[in-house]
Amino acid sequence: MPHTRYQSAHERVPLPLRDRTWPSRQLTRAPLWVPVDLRDGNQALAEPMDVTRKRRMFDLLCAMGYKEIEVGYPSASRTDFDFVRHLARSGAVPDDVTVSVFTAARRDLIDRTLASVEGLPRTLVHLYTATAPTWRDVVLGRSRQEVHALIREAATHLMRRAEEGPGSAVRFEFSPEVFNLTEPDFVLEVCNGLTELWEASPDRPVVHNLPATVEIATPNVYADQIEYMDRNLARRDSVVLSVHPHNDRGTGVACAELAVLAGAQRVEGCLFGNGERTGNVDLVTLALNLFAQGVDPMVDFSDIDAVRAVVEDCTRLPVHPRHPYGGALVHTAFSGTHQDAISKGLAHHAARARDLGVPAAEAPWAVPYLPVDPADLGRTYEEVIRVNSQSGKGGIAHLLRTHHGVDLPKAMRPDFSAAVQRVTDAGGHELTHEDLWDLFHRTYVAPAQDGPLTLADWQTRPTAPGVHEFTCTLVTGAGEREPRGEGNGPLSAFAHALGAAGIAVDILEWSEHSTTTGPGSPAVAYAHCRVDGVTRWGAGRDTSILTASVHAVLAAVNRARGSGA
């Protein structure tokens, strides 16, 4: 590939910072999040949102707790203009939410933008112009000095027109588009001039938004650029330093996180990262990355599926199933190793919560492979472990235990896992917990009733201390027999009776448990038997533990003799 046609960032833009301090800092609080789904995200849609869809998205963003929302580019389309007017007339904007609108640095576009926000109580007008050399030369056809003059003229016009407005509180934002490819001294010259022009103060700060419009370098380069600006912007206490990373290199989230370490106070992006080319920075991932580190994200994702549903409906774009935090499969493990670790982790978490005397939802979270508790995002544990041909015995056992009360003995799990593997390999599809129960029942329980040997009648009783008798009517293909056996317990007596009928049975392992709590709870018994030299597992289920145990032995015998082996 012709890699020599391309230049590194270090060759394309001066990078003056050498004594960076951001690598030693820590993220301890959320920045101001500004969703731009209704403007930047909307511009990236093949089917832009109409007013109805925009309103649904706006209501979602407000309900989640965003305090500043960019709602449109009023001078770019009639739909955007009408939507801003709808917000102004409908009273839809909460008292604590600021509406942001976007405009290019042209007088007529500025005038139309200000006309759209008339009547809104709190507005941020976002002025932008491309400043990078390639854009100056190729797109604008203007020198550095001419671009600066264009920006200053537009900013002056914006300020004067805003002052003429009827009493609404208007603040200003400026974006030197393609900041990350613009000479740092030029950005400082322009931004410092606007801070002074717009008479910024701590109680009425200006926003300087420094976008990585086209990602061209590793995230540390962007962080260096932001720290340089943070150190050198004039009247720093009157400036909100904002960033707007795009995702051309797939590192938008990292760029935003490092930029906040480097001094950024505000982040613009989109829910789930929608945006032109490869997208804007993903606000869902950014916020929940903080949440997973014990930092309050200041927005509410406690029903992530509902958020995703609204976004998908409004944008007509699907969220990838493996999207961080929000994808339908993001908390789902198919791998056997992962399933086993998660299953053990969930059990350990429940035990730890009991030891602490707190509900599981309040106990400290430390479960392998799950950086956050799915329940905190409105998910259920049913979604965590699912079974296909890649799954292992731990995940299979977890689903049977969780949904059907069947706690497979550890020694039995490889045997059932092999049965599951045969089914999934043959069909190539996922098995639900109902499928697993059906397969378990057919494999281990049903052979007691459907095999070559059945019990028409049986009974057991103690005949002396430590001695039990077992009598039965055993139905075989050759007819009925009535063997009798003795042993130190009912099951050993049953095995002895089978021996009397010519079937050599050794019970190698046996266990049982209730499937639920309370009287009348069904019991499940498991028996691992050697039958005429062949070892097989069997299971039984009944409200009587003894009946379940007898059925488990009989199922193992029938499986060893060729039924369901």
Side-chain angles (χ1 to χ4, degrees):
M1 296 180 67
H3 65 278
T4 55
R5 298 180 61 208
Y6 304 95
Q7 290 180 300
S8 73
H10 299 270
E11 297 172 297
R12 299 177 68 182
V13 63
L15 302 173
L17 191 68
R18 293 291 179 267
D19 58 338
R20 60 191 60 81
T21 62
W22 61 261
S24 61
R25 300 176 189 171
Q26 182 179 354
L27 296 175
T28 59
R29 57 182 295 179
L32 173 63
W33 307 115
V34 182
V36 296
D37 301 78
L38 294 168
R39 193 277 299 176
D40 200 345
N42 190 53
Q43 289 177 273
L45 299 178
E47 182 186 342
M49 288 181 264
D50 56 20
V51 170
T52 301
R53 285 155 61 200
K54 273 180 166 268
R55 176 60 190 271
R56 189 178 183 207
M57 177 74 82
F58 179 79
D59 289 345
L60 170 70
L61 296 171
C62 291
M64 294 174 68
Y66 289 104
K67 301 306 179 187
E68 188 177 306
I69 302 170
E70 191 171 81
V71 299
Y73 195 161
S75 63
S77 75
R78 182 74 196 183
T79 300
D80 272 26
F81 185 91
D82 289 346
F83 178 65
V84 179
R85 295 307 306 143
H86 163 77
L87 293 180
R89 293 170 179 148
S90 65
V93 182
D95 291 340
D96 59 348
V97 172
T98 296
V99 164
S100 172
V101 286
F102 192 72
T103 181
R106 272 177 39 190
R107 283 175 172 256
D108 58 328
L109 303 183
I110 291 169
D111 290 345
R112 184 160 176 78
T113 300
L114 289 173
S116 74
V117 301
E118 185 176 337
L120 284 169
R122 288 161 310 283
T123 307
L124 183 72
V125 178
H126 183 173
L127 184 73
Y128 82 96
T129 297
T131 55
T134 300
W135 275 252
R136 296 195 307 256
D137 297 341
V138 175
V139 180
L140 301 175
R142 301 191 183 211
S143 68
R144 174 166 155 164
Q145 292 74 22
E146 289 170 330
V147 169
H148 191 176
L150 179 154
I151 294 169
R152 191 168 182 86
E153 179 186 352
T156 302
H157 181 72
L158 170 60
M159 180 180 65
R160 288 175 178 167
R161 287 300 313 276
E163 289 172 348
E164 296 169 1
S168 61
V170 178
R171 292 174 45 233
F172 306 121
E173 173 180 356
F174 174 67
S175 285
E177 191 180 2
V178 209
F179 154 78
N180 56 323
L181 276 171
T182 303
E183 306 92 332
D185 67 308
F186 183 42
V187 177
L188 278 175
E189 178 185 336
V190 172
C191 288
N192 287 340
L194 294 183
T195 301
E196 181 179 3
L197 173 69
W198 285 334
E199 299 176 349
S201 62
D203 60 342
R204 190 173 175 269
V206 64
V207 177
H208 286 313
N209 184 56
L210 308 178
T213 309
V214 181
E215 270 197 315
I216 50 88
T218 51
N220 60 293
V221 172
Y222 188 52
D224 283 352
Q225 292 173 313
I226 297 301
E227 183 170 346
Y228 176 81
M229 296 298 293
D230 178 48
R231 292 187 193 181
N232 291 285
L233 282 168
R235 297 161 66 170
R236 186 65 184 83
D237 62 349
S238 300
V239 172
V240 176
L241 178 53
S242 176
V243 293
H244 183 122
H246 279 235
N247 199 43
D248 301 84
R249 304 178 79 252
T251 57
V253 166
C255 277
E257 290 180 329
L258 298 192
V260 173
L261 287 176
Q265 302 152 284
R266 180 180 182 272
V267 176
E268 297 183 352
C270 290
L271 297 180
F272 301 107
N274 173 49
E276 287 185 306
R277 303 184 311 279
T278 57
N280 289 302
V281 71
D282 181 345
L283 294 185
V284 174
T285 301
L286 283 172
L288 291 177
N289 279 353
L290 288 178
F291 179 71
Q293 295 294 310
V295 177
D296 185 353
M298 303 302 289
V299 281
D300 184 3
F301 287 101
S302 60
D303 192 350
I304 192 76
D305 289 340
V307 172
R308 187 181 74 236
V310 172
V311 172
E312 288 181 328
D313 180 65
C314 291
T315 63
R316 306 289 196 258
L317 293 175
V319 173
H320 193 282
R322 291 293 184 182
H323 188 285
Y325 301 107
L329 294 179
V330 70
H331 298 297
T332 301
F334 289 105
S335 161
T337 302
H338 291 191
Q339 291 176 339
D340 183 60
I342 291 170
S343 179
K344 290 175 180 175
L346 292 173
H348 181 269
H349 177 74
R352 187 181 184 194
R354 288 194 297 270
D355 292 343
L356 294 173
V358 299
E362 297 177 11
W365 183 254
V367 173
Y369 297 113
L370 295 178
V372 299
D373 184 346
D376 288 336
L377 305 182
R379 293 286 181 81
T380 67
Y381 293 121
E382 294 178 11
E383 300 163 318
V384 172
I385 294 177
R386 289 161 61 176
V387 171
N388 62 15
S389 61
Q390 304 300 307
S391 305
K393 57 185 183 294
I396 294 166
H398 173 84
L399 290 179
L400 284 178
R401 180 174 62 251
T402 301
H403 295 282
H404 303 283
V406 175
D407 193 5
L408 294 180
K410 287 186 177 181
M412 187 181 185
R413 294 178 186 182
D415 191 79
F416 185 48
S417 179
V420 171
Q421 191 77 35
R422 287 191 292 271
V423 172
T424 54
D425 281 344
H429 55 78
E430 181 184 346
L431 298 187
T432 66
H433 66 84
E434 293 94 345
D435 295 330
L436 290 175
W437 166 249
D438 181 65
L439 179 61
F440 174 81
H441 190 275
R442 285 188 285 111
T443 303
Y444 299 106
V445 179
Q449 286 78 40
D450 302 336
L453 302 177
T454 58
L455 290 173
D457 185 35
W458 62 274
Q459 59 182 336
T460 183
R461 63 187 181 90
T463 58
V467 180
H468 288 254
E469 179 186 68
F470 191 100
T471 58
C472 64
T473 300
L474 187 66
V475 182
T476 70
E480 294 185 357
R481 301 184 63 176
E482 296 184 349
R484 173 187 172 280
E486 286 187 344
N488 60 4
L491 294 187
S492 62
F494 179 34
H496 188 237
L498 291 171
I503 305 166
V505 178
D506 292 323
I507 300 175
L508 306 176
E509 185 174 343
W510 169 84
S511 63
E512 53 78 20
H513 63 81
S514 295
T515 56
T516 59
T517 58
S521 170
V524 177
Y526 314 90
H528 192 207
C529 301
R530 182 185 297 112
V531 183
D532 295 329
V534 177
T535 58
R536 290 290 184 270
W537 281 93
R541 187 176 187 273
D542 197 90
T543 53
S544 162
I545 292 176
L546 179 57
T547 300
S549 301
V550 170
H551 288 172
V553 172
L554 185 60
V557 170
N558 277 331
R559 294 188 70 232
R561 291 170 68 87
S563 172

